[in-house]
Amino acid sequence: EPEVTQTPSHQVTQMGQEVILRCVPISNHLYFYWYRQILGQKVEFLVSFYNNEISEKSEIFDDQFSVERPDGSNFTLKIRSTKLEDSAMYFCASSGTRPSYNEQFFGPGTRLTVL
Amino acid sequence: AQKVTQAQTEISVVEKEDVTLDCVYETRDTTYYLFWYKQPPSGELVFLIRRNSFDEQNEISGRYSWNFQKSTSSFNFTITASQVVDSAVYFCALSEAGTGTASKLTFGTGTRLQVTL
């Protein structure tokens, strides 16, 4: 069964460093998303991406964040200068075409720890 | 703006008890989708069900059942004869249909279910 994969599973970084979180969506999917879950809290939407551009972004997704689909299979989330409050689990998701485009499949997550 | 409320922060039951997790949503759209996800201690999000706003039929899948009532804007989830493996955090989520492209999921705060022997 196809699945969304994410690497690394856990990333530890120093405050101010850049991190890139990687995701491989399901191969025939067209819509891609990043969500964030701070420990013990709810899952929050960051950004959606379609047709090589951002469709929607939340207020969390400020200038420190960017997304890219560099090679047609990977979907990355970059945080330019990490802050302590960026420590969270980051989930990538993807969804297909109509009528299933609202069924988002989630990856296992990357736990980001900023020290 | 869309909103999902899961008023139950934590529920503890003894194995074999039935348990219902509540979900109340708010949306201005007439077309929307409701979801339940399970998050076990390992942390991944496991998709359980999707329901669109035009389908109010209740659904049963094994020990799981869902009760969708538009009149009360609720989408409740019942586990019958709970088992220890059901222990997890359960999230209800809402997606508005938007303009035909996929739109974000708005999650509730989750209900932590603890099933003990």
Side-chain angles (χ1 to χ4, degrees):
Chain A
E1 187 175 326
E3 59 182 17
V4 177
T5 59
Q6 289 184 245
T7 54
S9 56
H10 191 186
Q11 172 105 38
V12 181
T13 190
Q14 295 291 324
M15 190 170 57
Q17 294 296 304
E18 174 183 287
V19 295
I20 297 177
L21 309 183
R22 291 185 166 78
C23 168
V24 179
I26 294 173
S27 62
N28 62 346
H29 281 184
L30 300 178
Y31 302 91
F32 314 111
Y33 314 81
W34 284 101
Y35 292 83
R36 178 183 84 172
Q37 184 183 30
I38 294 171
L39 186 64
Q41 297 186 23
K42 67 177 179 180
V43 180
E44 300 174 290
F45 169 77
L46 291 178
V47 65
S48 60
F49 191 85
Y50 170 70
N51 202 25
N52 283 319
E53 60 183 24
I54 290 174
S55 303
E56 186 178 1
K57 59 183 180 179
S58 72
E59 58 195 25
I60 302 169
F61 195 88
D62 61 24
D63 291 343
Q64 292 299 311
F65 291 89
S66 62
V67 289
E68 198 177 31
R69 189 154 161 80
D71 57 14
S73 61
N74 290 283
F75 179 50
T76 62
L77 174 69
K78 182 192 290 186
I79 308 175
R80 287 193 185 82
S81 178
T82 50
K83 307 184 188 74
L84 294 176
E85 54 264 37
D86 293 327
S87 295
M89 180 77 94
Y90 289 81
F91 290 102
C92 173
S94 69
S95 62
T97 56
R98 283 177 175 268
S100 303
Y101 59 77
N102 275 297
E103 184 169 341
Q104 295 180 24
F105 292 82
F106 284 81
T110 292
R111 182 166 298 285
L112 176 65
T113 302
V114 182
L115 302 174
Chain B
Q2 54 194 39
K3 185 179 175 183
V4 176
T5 301
Q6 294 181 255
Q8 303 152 309
T9 307
E10 190 159 344
I11 300 176
S12 289
V13 297
V14 176
E15 205 177 37
K16 296 191 177 65
E17 284 185 9
D18 299 347
V19 58
T20 295
L21 310 181
D22 298 333
C23 173
V24 174
Y25 62 91
E26 293 176 32
T27 176
R28 292 196 190 118
D29 272 20
T30 54
T31 303
Y32 51 88
Y33 297 82
L34 295 162
F35 303 79
W36 276 94
Y37 287 87
K38 174 181 179 179
Q39 187 174 46
S42 49
E44 72 272 24
L45 286 167
V46 179
F47 169 81
L48 295 178
I49 189 170
R50 176 186 67 164
R51 184 55 103 210
N52 75 54
S53 52
F54 297 110
D55 183 1
E56 282 194 75
Q57 277 192 335
N58 291 333
E59 178 150 343
I60 299 174
S61 175
R63 295 184 298 107
Y64 296 169
S65 62
W66 291 269
N67 183 351
F68 177 27
Q69 294 201 339
K70 285 178 79 169
S71 61
T72 55
S73 297
S74 65
F75 186 45
N76 296 337
F77 172 32
T78 297
I79 302 174
T80 303
S82 59
Q83 300 176 0
V84 172
V85 292
D86 296 327
S87 297
V89 180
Y90 290 86
F91 290 98
C92 181
L94 166 72
S95 172
E96 292 172 341
T99 55
T101 60
S103 60
K104 65 184 180 189
L105 286 173
T106 296
F107 284 81
T109 50
T111 298
R112 180 176 299 277
L113 175 64
Q114 185 77 31
V115 182
T116 55
L117 293 171

